[in-house]
Amino acid sequence: MKGVLYLVPAPLDFGCVQSADLRDTLPMATITKAASLAHWVCENAKSARAYLKRVNEITPLCQPIQALALVELPREVHKKGDHNGNFDARALLQPALEGHPMGLLSEAGMPAVADPGSSVVRAAHDLGIRVVPLVGPVSLLLALAASGLNGQNFAFVGYLPQDPQERIQRIRELEGLALKTGQTQLFIETPYRNLAMLQALLQTLQHNTRLAISSGLTLESASIASDSVKNWKNKPVSLNNATPAVFAIGR
């Protein structure tokens, strides 16, 4: 019999100064399943071991961390993503073909959602390997729920261009779509670019467009704000430039 591929969520505190107690963000069933897996496909082996060490503090791992089989996704997958179908991940799932259960892990949140991993999930389906997503935090959905924007019609558009002019053009495109259709537009930025993104948004968006920003979700220091662009401009900004954030715009 073939093994099962478990999609194992991780806490959202990767790269943050604070760390959340795993039991505050993950169900015990997810933590227990993670502890039972000896074979992993991960975004980064170092951060995967750090996560599994935290799991081990709650429930013992099936093997010592050093004995676990951790295979990283290729570097080009990290840089360009694997959502477009260009990477064949079937070779990474050989343990599952031999009957071993496997885990798929990204650095934060749910793998394959705003993170690498979709190629592994596609490969599992192609190979007839059962795919089981486990319960855990997804920053995009938490941010959307807390934004006050349209949760019935929304789109995640990934990262915006880094070039200033291209970014302004993209912001205007997304705003036009949001105002015309009512579809909430969600996007993210790499650490230490949050303030530059906020500045570009406030300079580009119309006054009545609503802007929501969620940062440090699930942490005690979490920051969630949603207001019109006009009001954003009239209040002090306390956005942490180093903490992962989700931006949303809409009516």
Side-chain angles (χ1 to χ4, degrees):
M1 293 181 62
K2 297 176 182 177
V4 176
L5 177 66
Y6 293 96
L7 312 185
V8 183
L12 302 179
D13 54 26
F14 177 76
C16 299
V17 175
Q18 289 183 313
S19 294
D21 188 319
L22 288 189
R23 288 163 293 193
D24 291 339
T25 58
L26 296 172
M28 195 63 200
T30 295
I31 297 172
T32 302
K33 179 56 67 176
S36 74
L37 301 174
H39 296 270
W40 292 85
V41 177
C42 60
E43 185 174 355
N44 180 279
K46 182 178 179 180
S47 59
R49 291 190 184 96
Y51 167 68
L52 292 171
K53 182 178 180 181
R54 294 168 68 180
V55 169
N56 189 58
E57 293 171 353
I58 299 172
T59 186
L61 301 177
C62 63
Q63 295 181 11
I65 289 181
Q66 297 80 359
L68 298 176
L70 275 66
V71 178
E72 290 184 338
L73 288 164
R75 180 175 175 80
E76 61 266 22
V77 170
H78 290 231
K79 295 180 67 176
K80 299 180 180 179
D82 59 349
H83 49 275
N84 55 16
N86 291 336
F87 174 65
D88 186 352
R90 287 177 292 183
L92 304 181
L93 295 172
Q94 186 60 36
L97 293 177
E98 297 172 357
H100 300 287
M102 298 187 67
L104 174 63
L105 182 68
S106 63
E107 291 184 324
M110 180 65 75
V113 178
D115 263 329
S118 58
S119 60
V120 182
V121 178
R122 285 194 302 272
H125 287 298
D126 292 344
L127 293 170
I129 297 169
R130 184 182 171 209
V131 175
V132 177
L134 301 180
V135 177
V138 181
S139 61
L140 301 178
L141 294 183
L142 294 174
L144 177 63
S147 71
L149 296 171
N150 190 348
Q152 303 297 318
N153 184 9
F154 57 91
F156 171 61
V157 298
Y159 294 94
L160 273 55
Q162 294 183 24
D163 178 81
Q165 291 304 315
E166 293 180 2
R167 181 169 54 195
I168 289 173
Q169 180 179 350
R170 182 61 171 150
I171 290 172
R172 288 173 176 162
E173 290 174 355
L174 295 175
E175 181 183 39
L177 183 61
L179 297 181
K180 180 179 179 180
T181 68
Q183 183 183 70
T184 300
Q185 303 297 310
L186 296 157
F187 46 94
I188 55 178
E189 184 53 282
T190 55
Y192 301 101
R193 293 178 181 166
N194 289 337
L195 292 177
M197 173 61 73
L198 176 58
Q199 183 179 17
L201 290 168
L202 296 183
Q203 290 176 348
T204 307
L205 294 172
Q206 300 177 32
H207 284 178
N208 291 331
T209 297
R210 194 167 192 89
L211 169 64
I213 306 175
S214 296
S215 174
L217 290 167
T218 72
L219 298 177
E220 288 293 329
S221 59
S223 171
I224 302 173
S226 178
D227 210 335
S228 68
V229 169
K230 179 180 180 180
N231 289 339
W232 270 101
K233 291 181 176 180
N234 293 328
K235 62 184 178 182
V237 176
S238 59
L239 179 61
N240 189 322
N241 202 36
T243 302
V246 180
F247 299 83
I249 57 175
R251 291 175 177 170

